[in-house]
Amino acid sequence: METKPKFTPNPDLKLMDQVRQVLRYHHYAFNTEKTYCKWILRYIRYFGIQRHPRTRGAKEVETFLSHLATSQKVSAATQRQALNAVIFLYKQVLHIDINDKIAPIRAKRRPRLPVVMSVDETRTVLNRMQGPHLLMSELLYGAGLRLMECVRLRVNSIDFERGMIYVRFGKGGKDRGVPLPKSLAEKLNTQLEMVRRIHTADLAEGFGEAWLPEGFARKMGPGACDLGWQYLFPAKKRSVDPRSGLERRHHVLASGLQKAVRVAALRTGLTKRITSHTFRHSYATHLLDNGVNIRIVQELMGHADVKTTEIYTHVMQKNLAAVASPLDTLRNDDPT
């Protein structure tokens, strides 16, 4: 079978500019671009910038990754992230395949149980919040959204008629639908009216085009200015897109919501380490507590494997006292 030729970056560009060019050619997310560039630079600087990475190979990559595991004590996920970045440099930018030759010391994977709040604790934290951050946190808990899934919601993600929230381009680029909490309908309508006013003002000033993935952007054309594509939680000010150079209104920063959750948790006096992701953990656990089938929870959470969902069974409220001892069953069945 004929293989597709690899994209070759402009040789006149500096190495890191070549990396960015290839990443953008393959439509990698901007956050992934920043992360890969960070690890590639760290790899280059570890051995010194005097030598081009082309003069190094599998042995140097092994040394760098082993250093991360043994000296830096990074997690298995972090080491894997660094590996993916460096492999991308060699395979996609330099066209050198070294993947099968690498056998570094692996960072140990230590499974952790998720931190989960009780229903009362969840209510207490939410009661310490207000404004858009409260609504966003209620969506994290009420629909089990990931942080960036919530931040990136569009106006057309909300379907009041069907009572659904549609997550587009979630983790792994997958879409899914989750039930819309009925108690949030009025708040969401108010938020949509605010977005409508902001968008109308942007259009009047000659702006209003929303960022869309490249495939969508080509198909939509002027449709990118439609209200439906605007972010549900827009930033206060427009900003310049670092890739296209266009001025647009992006979504709010995720860090703002993270800080608001952290401050609210501190005000409650709870000693648990509560983050924005704790709402999602609590959502899944409370569904299982209420008897929802684990396969349904898996689908709502967007997990590819039910084993990922099963971790929440370890933190469920189990009524162990209600479990009948097999000895009692034996005695009850004994006719004598």
Side-chain angles (χ1 to χ4, degrees), residues 20 45 163 167 186 202 231:
R20 293 185 185 93
R45 289 167 179 166
V167 177
E186 186 177 345
D202 283 344
Y231 287 109

Side-chain angles (χ1 to χ4, degrees), residues 28-48:
Y28 279 72
F30 186 59
N31 284 340
T32 306
E33 178 183 316
K34 290 193 293 185
T35 301
Y36 272 33
C37 288
K38 179 195 76 172
W39 280 117
I40 291 170
L41 278 172
R42 194 163 165 181
Y43 165 69
I44 292 171
R45 289 167 179 166
Y46 179 75
F47 293 102

Side-chain angles (χ1 to χ4, degrees), residues 141-315:
Y141 174 65
L145 302 182
R146 297 179 177 91
L147 173 65
M148 293 310 299
E149 288 174 348
C150 179
V151 169
R152 291 171 177 164
L153 283 175
R154 312 271 183 160
V155 170
N156 59 17
S157 300
I158 311 299
D159 188 338
F160 291 103
E161 190 70 26
R162 292 181 175 272
M164 296 290 291
I165 297 174
Y166 295 103
V167 177
R168 310 292 185 187
F169 302 102
K171 190 173 182 180
K174 295 181 292 185
D175 295 357
R176 75 179 189 280
V178 293
L180 169 67
K182 295 178 181 177
S183 58
L184 295 183
E186 186 177 345
K187 284 186 177 183
L188 286 170
N189 269 311
T190 302
Q191 181 69 18
L192 288 175
E193 284 304 313
M194 185 269 288
V195 175
R196 189 188 302 275
R197 290 195 300 271
I198 291 175
H199 183 52
T200 300
D202 283 344
L203 288 173
E205 295 177 22
F207 299 97
E209 180 184 334
W211 178 87
L212 295 174
E214 288 200 20
F216 269 75
R218 287 193 299 270
K219 293 177 184 177
M220 294 303 298
C225 290
D226 291 349
L227 176 65
W229 290 110
Q230 304 307 306
Y231 287 109
L232 184 61
F233 298 102
K236 291 182 178 179
K237 297 180 180 179
R238 294 188 298 268
S239 57
V240 176
D241 188 317
R243 287 182 167 180
S244 67
L246 297 175
E247 184 174 336
R248 298 188 178 107
R249 190 176 296 276
H250 209 52
H251 55 65
V252 294
L253 293 175
S255 57
L257 176 56
Q258 290 173 310
K259 182 179 179 181
V261 172
R262 190 163 56 246
V263 170
L266 288 173
R267 287 174 178 170
T268 64
L270 295 173
T271 56
K272 294 180 179 179
R273 184 179 177 271
I274 296 171
T275 67
S276 55
H277 207 63
T278 308
F279 287 116
R280 176 173 159 86
H281 290 324
S282 303
Y283 167 82
T285 306
H286 295 169
L287 287 179
L288 292 171
D289 285 339
N290 293 333
V292 178
N293 185 283
I294 193 169
R295 290 289 184 179
I296 295 177
V297 177
Q298 175 194 357
E299 185 175 344
L300 293 173
M301 295 290 283
H303 291 157
D305 193 329
V306 73
K307 290 182 180 179
T308 308
T309 317
E310 285 174 354
I311 192 170
Y312 297 110
T313 63
H314 298 292
V315 289

